[in-house]
């Protein structure tokens, strides 16, 4: 048996509608995204081609899927010219193939915001011969389709512009409504059980990529509320054509920093297992008290993005860390830094600290959380151990578990 060799073209496209074709690609090879976020389920880079009287390409793709994107593009065009290249977002996971498109289709007019055109030069040294700088409210008619442009500033870069197709109700939402996780052929969200297949990764994507810019997302959601949206085509993850209210309500909660549900995320770092033992003990006490929504992360080996994601999801956060060099164990400092950078706020938090001769991680975590994160409410007394928890501390940990349950 032989594999297809390099150079044998294979097309992998799916129709979104009769004249809109998904021509992107899945990447299941890369282990990290943006140089830091683990993507164990891969990621898709979506690109859409509108085959109208004039053809328009809605963004390009990441270099990792260039060969598939290119085959998809050329085969779908089927010898037709590309009339327009729309650039809604200049981040290279969508812009890596722009140069090839412009060089191959020199007659294509580049349509983008002024800032995107500046970035096109900054990233690739390209000043296209034919370009249209569009702004909020401008329209472009390609025949049957008319695209109206919607500024989506800082969702999550400054040049981002959504496009709304007035003729079929499609919102091209760039990174908005995107998710980690390869499509694996499931182009539409309703072709899988989204909650079990994608929701955790959609939340992790939102919280860590877009989470800082909740107010900007709220602004765009308010603009979108006035549109008859029948379909959402993001640049990562599945296309939404049913139950759009579901994903819009998730975005509304995430961007207003409202927890999705009552629950607790316990994040701990541990050097010799003693802090871990306290975190485990607390988890068991919470379970015994009936808590179902509970996640426990060892942050010395789990990427902070998972903790940030569950901090967006749940009402309560428990941070447990050793004192290290008279400071917070660095792995926990990184988690607090990430949560504060992503503007986690309005949560209840409890602290566990360890220290063999001068425990002070609880005081330092308290300072960090209360000074860097808005509207954080402490729950229970900080639980402090010297090297290891003692049996006589059991009632104290029970009291902390009771306080957490009472706060839910
Ligand atoms: Fe998927 Fe902001 O790029």
């Amino acid at each position: 048996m032989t594999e297809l060799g390099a150079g044998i073209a294979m097309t992998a496209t799916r129709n979104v509608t009769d004249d809109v074709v998904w021509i992107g690609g899945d990447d299941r090879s890369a282990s990290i995204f943006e140089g830091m976020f683990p993507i164990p389920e891969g990621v898709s880079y979506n690109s859409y081609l509108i085959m109208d009287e004039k053809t328009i390409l809605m963004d390009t793709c990441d270099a990792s899927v260039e060969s598939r994107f290119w085959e998809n593009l050329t085969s779908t065009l089927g010898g037709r010219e590309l009339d327009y290249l729309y650039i809604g977002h200049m981040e290279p996971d969508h812009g890596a193939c722009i140069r090839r498109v412009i060089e191959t289709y020199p007659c294509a007019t580049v349509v983008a915001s002024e800032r995107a055109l500046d970035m096109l030069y900054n990233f690739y040294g390209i000043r296209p011969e034919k370009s249209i700088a569009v702004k909020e409210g401008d329209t472009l008619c390609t025949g049957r389709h008319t695209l109206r442009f919607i500024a989506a500033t800082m969702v999550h870069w400054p040049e981002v512009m959504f496009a709304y197709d007035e003729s079929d109700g499609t919102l091209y939402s760039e990174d908005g409504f995107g998710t980690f996780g390869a499509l694996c052929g499931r182009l539409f969200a309703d072709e899988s059980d989204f909650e079990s297949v994608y929701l955790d990764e959609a939340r992790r994507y939102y919280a860590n990529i877009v989470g800082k810019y909740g107010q900007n997302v709220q602004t765009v959601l308010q603009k979108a509320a006035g549109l008859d949206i029948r379909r959402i085509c993001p640049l990562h993850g599945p296309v939404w054509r049913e139950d759009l209210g579901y994903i819009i309500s998730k975005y509304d909660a995430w961007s207003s920093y409202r927890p999705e549900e009552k629950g607790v995320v316990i994040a701990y770092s541990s050097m010799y297992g003693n802090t871990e033992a306290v975190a485990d003990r607390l988890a068991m006490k919470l379970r015994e008290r009936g808590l179902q929504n509970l996640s426990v992360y060892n942050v010395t080996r789990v990427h902070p993005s998972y903790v940030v994601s569950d901090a967006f999801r749940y009402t309560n956060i428990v941070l447990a860390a050793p004192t290290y060099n008279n400071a917070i164990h660095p792995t926990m400092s990184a988690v607090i830094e990430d949560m504060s950078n992503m503007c986690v706020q309005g949560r209840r938090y409890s602290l566990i600290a360890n220290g063999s001769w001068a425990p002070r991680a609880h005081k330092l975590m308290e300072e960090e959380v209360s000074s860097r994160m808005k509207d954080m409410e402490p729950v229970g007394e900080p639980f402090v151990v010297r090297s290891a928890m003692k049996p006589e501390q059991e009632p104290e940990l029970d009291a902390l578990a009771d306080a957490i349950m009472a706060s839910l």
Side-chain angles (χ1 to χ4, degrees), residues 147-356:
L147 297 168
R148 177 143 55 97
F149 302 105
I150 301 166
T153 311
M154 298 316 297
V155 181
H156 61 117
W157 276 24
E159 84 294 4
V160 173
M161 192 163 274
F162 290 6
Y164 173 69
D165 190 332
E166 294 178 337
S167 52
D168 68 4
T170 299
L171 181 68
Y172 295 91
S173 61
E174 306 304 318
D175 281 333
F177 304 102
T179 176
F180 292 139
L183 291 174
C184 303
R186 300 172 292 232
L187 178 60
F188 297 100
D190 55 89
E191 292 176 324
S192 67
D193 177 354
F194 186 86
E195 288 216 338
S196 64
V197 175
Y198 284 113
L199 180 58
D200 286 346
E201 286 294 78
R203 184 187 304 105
R204 191 165 66 90
Y205 176 88
Y206 176 87
N208 290 278
I209 306 285
V210 191
K212 184 177 183 67
Y213 304 106
Q215 185 54 55
N216 302 81
V217 175
Q218 280 288 309
T219 300
V220 173
L221 287 178
Q222 281 157 21
K223 292 181 194 178
L227 303 173
D228 177 20
I229 299 172
R230 280 168 270 164
R231 201 173 295 104
I232 299 175
C233 290
L235 292 182
H236 304 284
V239 168
W240 289 84
R241 63 180 175 183
E242 292 181 7
D243 202 8
L244 272 53
Y246 171 84
I247 192 65
I248 290 172
S249 71
K250 291 292 182 195
Y251 259 65
D252 185 42
W254 296 336
S255 58
S256 21
Y257 303 100
R258 220 170 45 234
E260 280 170 78
E261 50 195 337
K262 295 177 180 178
V264 179
V265 51
I266 299 177
Y268 71 89
S269 54
S270 193
M271 295 163 65
Y272 301 107
N274 293 311
T275 311
E276 180 176 54
V278 180
D280 272 344
R281 195 87 193 96
L282 178 63
M284 288 175 193
K285 288 178 185 296
L286 293 171
R287 294 281 190 204
E288 284 168 357
R289 286 160 174 76
L291 182 66
Q292 294 201 350
N293 290 330
L294 171 65
S295 53
V296 181
Y297 293 110
N298 177 355
V299 303
T300 62
R301 65 177 294 275
V302 169
H303 191 271
S305 61
Y306 290 89
V307 180
V308 171
S309 180
D310 275 2
F312 270 72
R313 178 179 184 180
Y314 289 139
T315 48
N316 287 58
I317 301 166
V318 177
L319 305 175
T323 308
Y324 191 86
N325 284 336
N326 212 26
I328 306 166
H329 192 270
T331 55
M332 180 57 71
S333 289
V335 168
I336 297 172
E337 169 93 13
D338 275 11
M339 284 197 298
S340 102
N341 285 344
M342 293 300 117
C343 299
V344 171
Q345 55 190 268
R347 299 300 192 266
R348 300 176 191 118
Y349 70 99
S350 308
L351 300 172
I352 295 169
N354 199 341
S356 291

